[in-house]
Amino acid sequence: MVPVNKGDLRKLVTQTTVETYEELTPQLIQLIERTKHDEELTEAQKQDEIALHMMGYIKSCTNEIIIEVLSEILGLTE
């Protein structure tokens, strides 16, 4: 769907956002679980690692959303 107005663009971005976050969430959960159970890290280190995982997750999702929306608009394929 190529958006023809801001409302259509908003719908496309929202739909892509939901799909992307749902797709990448299991990877984030695995990273967090591994970090929580890493006995070599202190609690503070675990929290720092989890914060880094979250930032990386948000960055990855944002990049993927931008790529997917622009690809849709521009008609790009793999």
Side-chain angles (χ1 to χ4, degrees):
M1 166 186 102
V2 176
V4 295
N5 57 48
K6 282 187 180 180
D8 289 346
L9 179 59
R10 190 171 287 110
K11 287 178 190 174
L12 177 59
V13 170
T14 299
Q15 177 184 347
T16 304
T17 300
V18 170
E19 291 170 0
T20 301
Y21 275 78
E22 286 177 352
E23 182 181 315
L24 296 179
T25 297
Q27 295 168 13
L28 173 64
I29 291 169
Q30 286 179 334
L31 285 172
I32 290 172
E33 286 303 313
R34 264 190 264 148
T35 301
K36 283 182 178 180
H37 296 97
D38 187 341
E39 295 181 11
E40 294 181 14
L41 299 175
T42 66
E43 283 304 313
Q45 289 172 323
K46 289 178 184 180
Q47 292 304 312
D48 289 345
E49 286 292 315
I50 290 170
L52 288 174
H53 295 324
M54 294 294 293
M55 286 187 281
Y57 170 73
I58 292 167
K59 178 193 166 291
S60 294
C61 288
T62 301
N63 287 348
E64 192 61 29
I65 292 163
I66 291 168
I67 291 166
E68 289 299 318
V69 169
L70 286 175
S71 294
E72 181 76 25
I73 292 170
L74 297 173
L76 304 176
T77 60
E78 296 293 323

